[in-house]
Amino acid sequence: LLAACVLPTAVAQKAPDTAAALSIVQKNNCLSCHAVDSQVVGPAYREIAKKYHGDASAPDKLFTKVRNGGAFVWGEVPMPPNPNISDADLHTVIAWILAGAPDK
């Protein structure tokens, strides 16, 4: 009985830290090319979440894409590399995006 109560808690994913993610995207100028729910230069964060929904490799793919930059996934405008965002901050933002970029 104890295992039945503890196991679901152990495998449940931690909710993304929305306030931290929003702070990170603001201070790193991510919002100059992206928005939560509409395309700017790059895709909306919620469109990214839809595209990668159910893809277990998405966090690693997006980490590499944001860190190194890339092109031709969402159009012809390349995404520049972002080497100055810390790994921890990048993981926070990616978790938030993949959770659907919640506002709360």
Side-chain angles (χ1 to χ4, degrees):
L1 182 62
L2 179 61
C5 294
V6 174
L7 186 58
T9 304
V11 295
Q13 285 191 338
K14 182 179 147 189
D17 186 338
T18 296
L22 288 171
S23 175
I24 294 163
V25 298
Q26 288 170 346
K27 80 177 181 187
N28 288 284
N29 297 318
C30 303
L31 298 175
S32 62
C33 292
H34 297 278
V36 171
D37 57 7
S38 61
Q39 181 171 342
V40 182
V41 174
Y45 291 135
R46 290 186 179 148
E47 287 300 313
I48 296 168
K50 286 179 191 174
K51 178 179 177 90
Y52 291 101
H53 180 74
D55 181 348
S57 66
D60 292 333
K61 286 180 193 175
L62 292 175
F63 185 94
T64 300
K65 177 70 68 176
V66 174
R67 174 68 71 222
N68 300 325
F72 308 114
V73 174
W74 294 92
E76 294 184 21
V77 177
M79 179 170 172
N82 293 279
N84 297 325
I85 301 173
S86 74
D87 287 356
D89 283 356
L90 193 48
H91 286 295
T92 297
V93 169
I94 290 168
W96 173 73
I97 291 169
L98 291 174
D103 0 35
K104 296 179 184 176

